[in-house]
Amino acid sequence: MTAQRLPVVLLMGPTASGKTAAAIELVEHFPVEVVSVDSAQVYRGMDIGTAKPGPEELARAPHRLIDILDPAERYSAARFREDALAEIAAIHRAGRVPLLAGGTMLYFRALSRGLADLPDADPVVRAEIEEEARHHGWAVLHQRLAGLDPQTAARLHPNDAQRIQRALEVYRLTGQSLSALTAAARTEPFPFRLVTWAVAPAERRVLHERIGRRFAAMLRDGFIDEVAALRRRGDLHTGLPSMRAVGYRQVWEYLEGRFDREDLEQRGVAATRQFAKRQLTWLRRERDAQWFDAADGRLLRQLRDAMGRVLDSR
């Protein structure tokens, strides 16, 4: 079979939509291997707040590209694309089907469509932007970005510090907007046959309820202690991508005494809902995606049937 006919299945969905359970189900029924598409699960020691599969789940369905970095390190969409293509090739060589499951939509986009030719991170420029944010707040920097790159600003939440910083950094380094550079990028052809699935509850209310229950469960399971241990290391701070992951920044601020525990839960749930909203916005741009209702009791059967069709078409 030519490379162009070898299938790669993308299992996308917002947080708390049941992607891990679905992936395990497919691994247990088909010759499938999972590659994680999650910008937070790459970090070691960040288990509870990222909803990382536990030891029993990983024994049933090993996940590639989790626990590959220390939280002090930085990861990028470009590096993910390189790593994921290597894992896909290895899975194909073993005669199996790669199942890329997760919720980091930028990584999915980078994998399937390639990346713009953007400048590397510049520590000096980043430090300048972070200093401005400390004085004025990220909402003000978001307004500045809207004046420079309204297209990028429109798709970013005013509290999305990491992406606001990157967009401003790109502009200061190149004199061009991130949206313009991205639009001018040469699309790199994906060398395999893509099958794209989107898993999400049909009703937003269901997703919000799931997010609330899961964040409460994370707190019960020791999320605060997990972040406290990371803070005690002394080499981590909220400017790092790892500590900007949804939930971690809120717990970090709670540990600094900025608000009480009840407020922590409210803030954590609200931040996660905003994150899920952004994920769904990305998902709706996937024109070729087949949608599955995460709240449908027949979901796992439907996914098994869909995977069966993928295998039959090889």
Side-chain angles (χ1 to χ4, degrees):
M1 182 183 295
T2 63
Q4 288 81 4
R5 293 302 303 161
L6 289 171
V8 172
V9 179
L10 308 184
L11 178 61
M12 305 174 168
T15 186
S17 60
K19 298 180 296 294
T20 298
I24 292 172
E25 175 79 8
L26 294 171
V27 167
E28 292 184 330
H29 285 82
F30 300 99
V32 167
E33 290 194 40
V34 181
V35 180
S36 172
V37 186
D38 191 299
S39 61
Q41 292 185 3
V42 296
Y43 294 111
R44 294 183 290 271
M46 295 175 58
D47 303 326
I48 298 171
T50 64
K52 191 179 295 177
E56 292 183 5
E57 292 172 310
L58 291 174
R60 295 166 61 194
H63 284 48
R64 299 174 184 236
L65 298 187
I66 66 170
D67 291 335
I68 60 173
L69 293 176
D70 183 86
E73 297 179 83
R74 295 177 182 269
Y75 201 54
S76 67
R79 182 173 169 187
F80 167 79
R81 189 176 201 272
E82 181 180 338
D83 290 345
L85 286 172
E87 298 293 356
I88 288 168
I91 294 168
H92 278 150
R93 285 195 298 270
R96 304 174 75 80
V97 174
L99 175 67
L100 281 82
T104 301
M105 303 306 165
L106 177 61
Y107 286 8
F108 280 117
R109 183 69 57 87
L111 178 67
S112 62
R113 304 184 190 179
L115 290 159
D117 185 16
L118 300 177
D120 293 334
D122 186 303
V124 174
V125 174
R126 290 199 164 191
E128 291 173 354
I129 295 170
E130 288 175 358
E131 182 65 20
E132 292 172 24
R134 277 193 288 272
H135 280 88
H136 304 291
W138 286 107
V140 171
L141 267 65
H142 181 264
Q143 292 175 354
R144 292 181 185 174
L145 177 63
L148 301 169
D149 184 357
Q151 189 173 346
T152 297
R155 64 179 177 81
L156 298 181
H157 189 275
N159 293 331
D160 193 348
Q162 183 175 353
R163 291 182 175 85
I164 293 170
Q165 181 190 54
R166 178 55 174 161
L168 289 170
E169 177 189 37
V170 167
Y171 187 86
R172 294 183 186 186
L173 290 173
T174 67
Q176 298 183 68
S177 68
L178 179 61
S179 58
L181 290 172
T182 301
R186 183 181 63 188
T187 300
E188 300 177 45
F190 188 68
F192 307 106
R193 178 168 63 92
L194 273 178
V195 178
T196 305
W197 298 339
V199 175
E203 296 183 37
R204 185 72 60 87
R205 171 187 56 81
V206 174
L207 183 61
H208 284 183
E209 290 172 355
R210 288 188 178 191
I211 287 170
R213 289 195 300 269
R214 191 168 77 167
F215 196 82
M218 287 176 174
L219 293 177
R220 291 194 301 270
D221 292 342
F223 188 18
I224 294 173
D225 291 338
E226 179 174 273
V227 180
L230 293 167
R231 289 182 76 245
R232 284 195 296 271
R233 286 179 34 159
D235 63 336
L236 302 178
H237 55 83
T238 54
L240 289 168
S242 59
M243 294 299 102
R244 288 177 179 170
V246 66
Y248 283 83
R249 180 170 59 85
Q250 287 76 26
V251 175
W252 190 291
E253 292 174 351
Y254 162 76
L255 291 168
E256 290 180 336
R258 298 194 190 185
F259 39 79
D260 60 24
R261 194 183 183 288
E262 182 179 352
D263 202 12
L264 164 62
E265 187 163 349
Q266 293 174 352
R267 287 169 181 254
V269 169
T272 308
R273 287 178 176 176
Q274 284 292 334
F275 177 54
K277 182 180 179 180
R278 295 195 297 273
Q279 290 174 305
L280 287 167
T281 299
W282 277 80
L283 268 177
R284 292 191 187 99
R285 299 190 187 121
E286 295 294 329
R287 299 175 185 172
D288 298 327
Q290 180 181 359
W291 283 76
F292 297 86
D293 183 357
D296 191 327
R298 300 167 297 172
L299 172 65
L300 297 181
R301 189 184 74 196
Q302 291 170 347
L303 290 173
R304 289 197 303 269
D305 290 345
M307 182 60 77
R309 291 191 292 272
V310 171
L311 295 172
D312 290 342
S313 66
R314 286 195 298 175

